[in-house]
Amino acid sequence: MKTAALYAFVALLPTFANAQAQTWQQCGGIGWSGPTTCVSGTTCTKLNDYYSQCIPGASSAPATTPPATTPPPTSVPTSVPPTSPTTGTGSTPTASPNNPWTGYQVYLSPFYAQEVTAAAAQISDKTLAAKAASVAKIPTFTWFDTINKTADLGTYLADAQSIQKSTGQKQLVQIVVYDLPDRDCAAKASNGEFSIANNGQANYFNYIDQLVAQIKQFPDVRVVAVIEPDSLANLVTNLNLQKCSNAQQTYLACVNYALKQLSAVGVYSYMDAGHAGWLGWPANLSPAAQLFAKVYKDAGSSPFIKGLATNVANYNALQAASPDPITQGNSNYDEIHYINALGPLLQQQGFPATFIVDQGRSGQQNLRQQWGDWCNIKGAGFGTRPTTNTGSSLIDSIVWVKPGGECDGTSNSSSPRFDSTCSLSDADQPAPEAGTWFQEYFTTLVSKANPPL
Ligand SMILES: *[C@@H]1O[C@H](CO)[C@@H](O)[C@H](O)[C@H]1NC(C)=O
Ligand SMILES: *[C@@H]1O[C@H](CO)[C@@H](O)[C@H](O)[C@H]1NC(C)=O
């Protein structure tokens, strides 16, 4: 349903054909067709059958390499989640009970910054172009929506680590884990690369292993993750759809694996919880709380599982001046009402969850024909800037999860990923494929930003 997010960061680097892989990039593995040699000072090091990486220094594998006993993806049982592989470092990270953002500076994705800078350069109005360019300094999350992007995480973490060393300012990298098999079971625009019928669960476990292998190399850089937008919310309300009911057990096993593995390397996780107009309906609150609390407990109640992310890639205000008419019938007409309703239910179920709320595209309100409309909503503007000054003890941070300007889905009805939501009258058209840059949309987000840029 949501963005397919980013092209690979490697697009910024020299093309594969005549290049060596850069530090921390992939240099081999089953199915890999890129470069197999590494830049000077690094060695192509096998992490598993599917993944080799350019690691600085000697050819002997570093202590952080996953142990040889890590099961290859094909041997992963399909019904029993495997136990955590032990790490090579031996030290188990300890979760801070505080807000994960406190004391940290958020790392800016160089990929999004580059997209924004290129987009601003195309705007002829000088005042608007300057406002557009300023968006490059506002932190968003980076979406890892295909396995071949996982190597980019190492590039970002290495960059963040060097900023941390040179400035003394601790860095926090924000990521979205988004590659479930049969992804987006209730919509079409963000269909993923893995299918349950074709080894999807094992492929997903491998995807998580790749992210974890990168994160392990940089224990001093903090990582915060949003886990699988829409997935658990679909299990609350859309099990009547065949694709969602088929996916139920696999989604649960995959999210469980992601939470456990990421917690083991010190990543702070927030599970996606839809938004006020989805799970915020009174009838959905209690089933949602039960599901999220169960997933939390099944993943060992790790203190690294901080809570839930709401309004990801959506348009709801945190605090609406007045209810949008489309919210009629739901007393939880904005995100703060939703969070204030869900938070105590989670507490009762034993999950002391806190929240983060996406406000990246929530600057303008009362734009939609129906609350469920989600695709490239016309007239949307950038919203409240990311801040930990949230006005609510339940909310750790206002964030921008969706990188504004990347398309939600194509309006081309001949495309295999066409979702009819993207051709509704409140959707901006013509729109390109999900995740690709949508210049006209970005320009509107800039001009309608509230507060203004
Ligand atoms: C990464 O994977 C996606 C989906 O499988 C594919 O469309 C894309 O071409 C791949 N990109 C690269 C750089 O290999
Ligand atoms: C729409 O998608 C079809 C199928 O992918 C493609 O052939 C066609 O060129 C696209 N049309 C536009 C206007 O992009």
Side-chain angles (χ1 to χ4, degrees):
M1 150 166 173
K2 301 293 166 47
T3 178
L6 307 173
Y7 292 123
F9 178 59
V10 291
L12 303 179
L13 298 166
T15 48
F16 281 152
N18 48 14
Q20 293 175 305
Q22 305 290 311
T23 309
W24 302 118
Q25 287 194 321
Q26 187 171 2
C27 55
I30 294 169
W32 175 243
S33 58
T36 52
T37 57
C38 293
V39 292
S40 146
T42 69
T43 305
C44 188
T45 306
K46 179 176 168 176
L47 298 184
N48 61 43
D49 286 347
Y50 291 82
Y51 199 79
S52 301
Q53 185 184 34
C54 299
I55 292 178
S59 57
S60 62
T64 46
T65 300
T69 51
T70 302
T74 47
S75 73
V76 171
T78 50
S79 54
V80 186
T83 52
S84 305
T86 50
T87 64
T89 59
S91 67
T92 310
T94 310
S96 160
N98 302 326
N99 185 332
W101 277 266
T102 303
Y104 282 75
Q105 183 178 61
V106 183
Y107 175 73
L108 293 167
S109 155
F111 180 80
Y112 185 62
Q114 185 260 357
E115 279 185 322
V116 165
T117 305
Q122 286 178 44
I123 299 175
S124 48
D125 179 314
K126 287 216 162 59
T127 312
L128 193 62
K131 288 179 179 182
S134 72
V135 174
K137 296 268 189 263
I138 302 172
T140 60
F141 277 63
T142 299
W143 293 60
F144 290 91
D145 62 342
T146 56
I147 194 163
N148 58 16
K149 290 181 187 167
T150 57
D152 300 345
L153 180 57
T155 311
Y156 293 138
L157 293 171
D159 192 22
Q161 186 180 57
S162 73
I163 293 170
Q164 187 160 295
K165 279 189 179 141
S166 64
T167 64
Q169 173 64 61
K170 288 193 273 186
Q171 299 290 305
L172 180 155
V173 174
Q174 303 181 141
I175 67 171
V176 180
V177 173
Y178 190 56
D179 205 11
L180 281 178
D182 289 14
R183 189 174 69 195
D184 211 13
C185 66
K188 290 187 182 145
S190 298
N191 286 346
E193 62 184 346
F194 298 147
S195 76
I196 291 171
N198 188 15
N199 213 30
Q201 182 169 317
N203 287 335
Y204 185 81
F205 285 13
N206 179 45
Y207 157 83
I208 294 296
D209 291 347
Q210 306 307 330
L211 291 174
V212 165
Q214 308 287 337
I215 292 163
K216 263 191 200 166
Q217 317 281 340
F218 305 95
D220 50 343
V221 176
R222 180 164 286 185
V223 178
V224 170
V226 167
I227 306 298
E228 296 295 346
D230 300 347
S231 60
L232 297 176
N234 273 323
L235 301 189
V236 177
T237 64
N238 288 325
L239 288 178
N240 57 318
L241 301 174
Q242 177 98 53
K243 189 176 173 194
C244 290
S245 66
N246 280 348
Q248 182 177 24
Q249 291 314 316
T250 307
Y251 277 15
L252 290 171
C254 288
V255 168
N256 176 275
Y257 189 76
L259 290 170
K260 280 186 176 163
Q261 300 304 315
L262 292 168
S263 295
V265 291
V267 173
Y268 293 84
S269 291
Y270 294 83
M271 290 180 264
D272 183 84
H275 60 91
W278 188 350
L279 302 185
W281 288 90
N284 295 337
L285 285 167
S286 182
Q290 281 171 32
L291 178 64
F292 287 117
K294 180 169 188 331
V295 170
Y296 166 73
K297 289 178 199 160
D298 287 349
S301 305
S302 166
F304 282 107
I305 307 171
K306 288 303 252 190
L308 305 180
T310 79
N311 201 47
V312 168
N314 213 275
Y315 305 86
N316 297 338
L318 175 56
Q319 202 152 11
S322 61
D324 185 330
I326 58 173
T327 68
Q328 203 183 1
N330 185 351
S331 52
N332 299 315
Y333 58 83
D334 60 16
E335 294 304 300
I336 192 69
H337 282 86
Y338 170 39
I339 288 166
N340 285 340
L342 184 58
L345 296 178
L346 293 163
Q347 299 271 355
Q348 283 165 24
Q349 302 274 339
F351 183 11
T354 51
F355 291 78
I356 59 176
V357 185
D358 190 355
Q359 291 291 285
R361 304 192 300 182
S362 296
Q364 301 293 334
Q365 291 299 301
N366 300 11
L367 301 173
R368 287 168 285 183
Q369 301 287 325
Q370 298 174 81
W371 208 356
D373 295 354
W374 50 265
C375 194
N376 305 316
I377 298 300
K378 263 191 224 167
F382 283 119
T384 308
R385 311 299 179 260
T387 178
T388 53
N389 194 0
T390 65
S392 165
S393 58
L394 276 176
I395 304 177
D396 290 336
S397 190
I398 290 169
V399 289
W400 286 18
V401 181
K402 169 82 187 182
E406 292 180 2
C407 190
D408 294 322
T410 180
S411 57
N412 179 349
S413 58
S414 310
S415 165
R417 294 167 91 204
F418 172 69
D419 190 294
S420 58
T421 311
C422 300
S423 62
L424 293 174
S425 61
D426 56 5
D428 201 354
Q429 295 163 58
E433 287 288 341
T436 64
W437 193 255
F438 190 176
Q439 178 72 10
E440 194 272 329
Y441 200 72
F442 172 73
T443 309
T444 308
L445 287 171
V446 172
S447 62
K448 302 273 188 188
N450 175 27
L453 288 160

